[in-house]
Amino acid sequence: MPQHSTGDKPLLSTPQLVFPSLPSAVDSGCGHTPPSRRASIGSPLSPGALRSATHSPLDSCSQPLCQLPAEKHGPPAAREVRYVSAGPKRLACGWWAFAPECLQAFNTPRGFLLFLCVASFLQGMTVNGFINTVITSIERRYDLLSYQSGLIASSYDVAACFCLTFVSYFGGSGHKPRWLGWGVLVMGAGSLVFALPHFTSGPYQVEVDEGIGTCQANRSVACGKSTSGLSSYRLVFMLGQFLHGVGATPLYTLGVTYLDENVKSSYSPVYIAIFYTAAILGPAAGYLIGGALLNIYTEIGQRTELTTESPLWVGAWWVGFLGAGVAAFLIAVPILGYPRQLPGSQRYVVMRASETHQLKDSRHKVASNPDFGKTISDLPLSIWLLLKNPMFILLCLAGATEATLIAGMSTFGPKFLESQFSLSASEAATLFGYLVVPAGGGGTFLGGFLVNKFKLRGSGTIRFCLLCTLTSLLAASVFSMHCPNVPMAGVTASYGNSLLPQDPWELTAACNAACGCRPEHYSPVCGSNGLMYFSPCHAGCPEVAAPGPGGQKVYRDCSCVPQNFSSGFGHATAGKCSSTCQRKPLLLVFIFVVILFTFLSSIPALTATLRCVCDQQRSFALGIQWIVVRTLGSIPGPIAFGWLIDKACLLWQDQCGQRGSCFLYHNAAMSQYMLIAGLVYKVLGFLFFAAACVLYKPPSGSSNGLEASLPSQSSGSDNPTDLQDAPTDLQFQSDV
């Protein structure tokens, strides 16, 4: 890692250098210079000391200058300053010896950001989009239970926790683009492995029974279900998810630090915000593309009598993973071609150092050694230094509380909307997507933009996080409101549409007693009297539904649905009854605010984490932070929220006497539990940020003078030639 220190000479554009003579002197003066030794680059040059090649785009990043040791009585030539070039190929964009000039236009922070955004977009689309979209289809296709699909989903986080320490520690001092490129390749391999069961399990074949679920066609279900042996494919899915987790590990540790190293510190939050915004937009694309693919039958090209509304329908879940795997292999190629450092990046190290939180423990100076963290023997000390950093620990705990809410809301947010507003699963997922994409993506980008706009540094970023947490805490009080449940016959209302005062529910009544309705056939219908029924059978509907004017199935002559204005029986429409809740707009607005301000603090908190540790520990610190966030937040978050939501269940699925999934929730209880969880975690996050703000110790020197002396650029280090004629107070370390 190149280090900067203050000097008193003007910075010169480092030209293409040649060595006139004295190879032995070069060896003794530069070739074996220890990392801590620095050489001034501001000494005046003799006309014949070097030859300039001003047209090279890599000039500003050649090997720093090295001054030969002077002799008291030697000739003047012996006291001349000599220059050593690191060689343009070390900073060129390419693969080994192949580094054509046309590729050097992408050898900038903006170029690298483009490819990194595509990689994070693919990761979000695959892991957080496709997986969540197709998990129900995979359960149906391969006879998986809910806890087995949960194991598949959690394999990603387990893999990430195992790999974060290794990748962040050794990758932080290694060649970051190569670590990133190989990680994207592994992630692509995971997508291909995830799609593999479709090609090895044989064609999907089911029997179609159009009349099942109605009164006359209802059939008893045998409880002794034969096993197909397909559930063993869960191990293949877990392997695919494990590879996803391994491959994605470098993205949010090494990718972030590589961006931060190669741009001006004031523009680093913007670059990181764009990177994280791409990662958030990925799941939105995954939901849209995955949802469209599920409308295609899994055996593409084969005719079937099943419709997309059938509970036996399985869509083309595997196509998205094939496409994502191929795209990951393609995007890994340019990432592997980037150099260890981008041209012109050395000048920004001093600014980061000037903003770094100062520890009271003097042992943090050990980590300032450029050779620190390159061997396994430094690992225990690296961990100990992070544990002794109170700022880092508090920011990790604050991130864990935010991650718990994000993981819980992203998993059960659609279910909350589905229950409160009486929506179908697809409608709730779509509505939740409309909230998350602008609130999550916009909040992430806006957070980085505001940090750059208001020049927030050090404690300023933490105070900003504190303000965002307080705002979202106040907005979370919206969960004290709820929409009333749509009345359901036998559960919340009697078959005469009067409220049931007792808790035990009874789905069987005189009007459907002869039908012999089974509790396994859950297919809600809405009667013409405004009452919802468990299934067409429980509504007493004798015949198969006919298409209605709006395209929905309509069941006629249902014995449990009274006709309002004439004699005879009424009709029932497939699907849930629509909710008449007047609080829907207010609930959606406040949920949007909670999501917005939760994501608004993500980039400032990440920036504060990068500034509270030294340069050599930044990648490793992000890795440890991700372990803490996943262990205390992402993994237990859905479990905690799921446990609370299950306590609000009114109607459980009956699988031959055993409890299955929940069919109907008590809206008031669900809102109360969500309110309790939201307030607890938001208060904890507020306290952690407040403690970090109090304990923050600003550096002894200000970075204002340093920032003013650096060349002003809107693109970080995109234009290395700006170093020409730009005075600054920097000295570069003798090895790049």
Side-chain angles (χ1 to χ4, degrees):
M1 190 76 65
Q3 300 294 314
H4 291 190
S5 65
T6 57
D8 55 0
K9 301 292 183 182
L11 180 66
L12 301 178
S13 175
T14 312
Q16 184 92 20
L17 305 174
V18 296
F19 310 98
S21 59
L22 299 175
S24 60
V26 171
D27 291 341
S28 62
C30 197
H32 302 282
T33 303
S36 60
R37 185 173 177 178
R38 312 188 190 280
S40 172
I41 65 171
S43 303
L45 307 179
S46 61
L50 50 87
R51 266 189 256 138
S52 175
T54 56
H55 299 291
S56 172
L58 307 173
D59 290 345
S60 60
C61 286
S62 299
Q63 182 78 3
L65 309 181
C66 186
Q67 187 171 1
L68 296 177
E71 300 179 7
K72 290 183 178 181
H73 305 289
R79 303 189 190 98
E80 265 189 90
V81 178
R82 302 296 183 192
Y83 297 87
V84 179
S85 173
K89 292 298 181 183
R90 292 189 181 181
L91 295 174
C93 184
W95 304 270
W96 293 281
F98 181 71
E101 287 294 331
C102 59
L103 293 180
Q104 306 316 311
F106 296 95
N107 197 18
T108 64
R110 290 176 180 175
F112 185 80
L113 178 65
L114 172 65
F115 296 115
L116 200 63
C117 284
V118 176
S120 65
F121 182 86
L122 287 175
Q123 182 271 337
M125 181 176 66
T126 304
V127 176
N128 300 321
F130 288 155
I131 297 293
N132 295 337
T133 303
V134 307
I135 198 70
T136 304
S137 299
I138 292 176
E139 288 179 1
R140 186 178 301 138
R141 174 68 177 90
Y142 296 97
D143 299 331
L144 300 179
L145 301 177
S146 296
Y147 84 92
Q148 293 173 332
S149 60
L151 289 176
I152 294 173
S154 63
S155 298
Y156 174 85
D157 290 314
V158 172
C161 287
F162 277 130
C163 298
L164 274 168
T165 302
F166 173 80
V167 171
S168 60
Y169 183 76
F170 291 101
S173 58
H175 197 295
K176 293 183 181 65
R178 291 179 185 173
W179 282 82
L180 288 164
W182 282 107
V184 175
L185 287 176
V186 173
M187 189 172 64
S191 296
L192 298 181
V193 169
F194 203 94
L196 185 63
H198 171 77
F199 302 96
T200 59
S201 59
Y204 178 58
Q205 298 177 350
V206 293
E207 296 180 1
V208 181
D209 190 351
E210 292 289 343
I212 193 168
T214 57
C215 183
Q216 293 180 353
N218 187 65
R219 300 178 181 179
S220 61
V221 180
C223 291
K225 183 180 179 181
S226 60
T227 58
S228 62
L230 294 177
S231 61
S232 59
Y233 277 103
R234 69 184 183 276
L235 300 177
V236 181
F237 292 127
M238 292 174 66
L239 175 60
Q241 273 287 75
F242 192 88
L243 292 177
H244 282 152
V246 172
T249 298
L251 274 178
Y252 302 102
T253 53
L254 304 182
V256 171
T257 54
Y258 189 79
L259 286 175
D260 189 61
E261 289 169 359
N262 290 280
V263 298
K264 192 176 179 180
S265 60
S266 60
Y267 288 99
S268 174
V270 178
Y271 276 72
I272 298 174
I274 295 174
F275 168 57
Y276 270 79
T277 301
I280 293 174
L281 295 179
Y287 278 109
L288 294 176
I289 298 175
L293 291 174
L294 290 182
N295 291 325
I296 305 173
Y297 189 55
T298 182
E299 305 294 339
I300 297 179
Q302 179 178 328
R303 295 180 60 87
T304 179
E305 296 181 2
L306 291 174
T307 63
T308 55
E309 299 176 356
S310 172
L312 300 177
W313 173 270
V314 175
W317 60 270
W318 50 274
V319 177
F321 294 98
L322 280 184
V326 174
F329 276 91
L330 294 177
I331 202 61
V333 175
I335 294 178
L336 286 169
Y338 274 88
R340 182 185 293 265
Q341 283 180 295
L342 294 179
S345 62
Q346 297 95 331
R347 53 188 162 158
Y348 299 125
V349 178
V350 68
M351 292 181 59
R352 294 195 303 270
S354 68
E355 298 173 12
T356 302
H357 164 69
Q358 299 298 310
L359 295 176
K360 296 180 180 179
D361 191 349
S362 60
R363 281 174 293 181
H364 79 282
K365 296 180 180 179
V366 178
S368 300
N369 190 333
D371 285 337
F372 180 78
K374 295 184 178 180
T375 60
I376 191 66
S377 60
D378 293 331
L379 180 59
L381 180 57
S382 296
I383 297 177
W384 178 247
L385 290 176
L386 292 178
L387 293 178
K388 293 282 288 182
N389 189 336
M391 277 281 297
F392 175 75
I393 297 299
L394 289 171
L395 290 176
C396 287
L397 294 176
T401 59
E402 296 295 296
T404 304
L405 288 174
I406 292 174
M409 284 298 297
S410 62
T411 304
F412 298 104
K415 180 173 289 189
F416 177 81
L417 299 181
E418 178 182 351
S419 177
Q420 294 292 322
F421 306 141
S422 188
L423 303 174
S424 66
S426 60
E427 291 173 338
T430 303
L431 180 59
F432 190 72
Y434 288 151
L435 290 175
V436 170
V437 172
T444 302
F445 178 79
L446 186 60
F449 173 79
L450 292 177
V451 170
N452 174 63
K453 178 69 175 179
F454 296 105
K455 308 296 181 185
L456 299 179
R457 298 289 182 270
S459 61
T461 58
I462 304 176
R463 287 195 295 268
F464 182 82
C465 296
L466 197 63
L467 178 62
C468 293
T469 306
L470 179 61
T471 304
S472 57
L473 171 63
L474 297 177
S477 60
V478 69
F479 290 112
S480 59
M481 298 186 299
H482 68 276
C483 291
N485 284 89
V486 174
M488 185 172 186
V491 181
T492 60
S494 67
Y495 277 84
N497 204 2
S498 60
L499 293 178
L500 290 177
Q502 67 275 15
D503 290 335
W505 48 268
E506 180 58 52
L507 297 175
T508 303
C511 58
N512 60 20
C515 296
C517 302
R518 301 288 303 179
E520 292 87 0
H521 298 157
Y522 177 67
S523 179
V525 294
C526 183
S528 55
N529 59 343
L531 193 64
M532 190 166 64
Y533 298 86
F534 187 86
S535 70
C537 178
H538 290 84
C541 305
E543 299 178 355
V544 178
Q552 293 178 313
K553 292 182 178 180
V554 178
Y555 298 86
R556 304 290 180 183
D557 298 326
C558 301
S559 59
C560 292
V561 183
Q563 187 67 271
N564 292 332
F565 302 106
S566 61
S567 60
F569 301 129
H571 64 275
T573 306
K576 300 178 181 179
C577 295
S578 59
S579 174
T580 58
C581 181
Q582 303 296 325
R583 299 170 179 171
K584 180 178 179 180
L586 186 62
L587 279 168
L588 293 178
V589 168
F590 275 87
I591 292 175
F592 180 89
V593 173
V594 172
I595 298 174
L596 174 66
F597 280 90
T598 299
F599 281 90
L600 193 64
S601 63
S602 59
I603 299 302
L606 181 62
T607 304
T609 302
L610 291 173
R611 298 296 176 261
C612 75
V613 295
C614 64
D615 272 8
Q616 281 73 20
Q617 284 197 296
R618 287 184 305 149
S619 296
F620 184 58
L622 286 184
I624 296 298
Q625 185 180 52
W626 273 108
I627 292 177
V628 174
V629 167
R630 292 180 186 276
T631 304
L632 301 181
S634 300
I635 295 177
I639 299 175
F641 272 77
W643 179 76
L644 288 175
I645 288 178
D646 282 343
K647 292 179 68 65
C649 183
L650 280 175
L651 180 62
W652 290 94
Q653 182 185 18
D654 185 4
Q655 295 178 331
C656 299
Q658 295 183 353
R659 176 183 291 183
S661 59
C662 183
F663 286 146
L664 186 67
Y665 293 93
H666 193 280
N667 286 350
M670 178 183 281
S671 292
Q672 291 175 2
Y673 292 139
M674 294 286 282
L675 174 65
I676 293 173
L679 292 180
V680 168
Y681 284 106
K682 281 296 181 182
V683 168
L684 287 176
F686 180 83
L687 294 177
F688 290 138
F689 279 128
C693 187
V694 172
L695 294 179
Y696 176 79
K697 183 180 180 182
S700 55
S702 175
S703 64
N704 294 335
L706 291 168
E707 189 169 353
S709 66
L710 289 173
S712 176
Q713 293 186 78
S714 60
S715 59
S717 58
D718 285 3
N719 186 11
T721 59
D722 286 348
L723 281 173
Q724 296 178 357
D725 304 326
T728 187
D729 295 335
L730 301 180
Q731 286 181 331
F732 292 145
Q733 186 183 340
S734 61
D735 63 331
V736 175

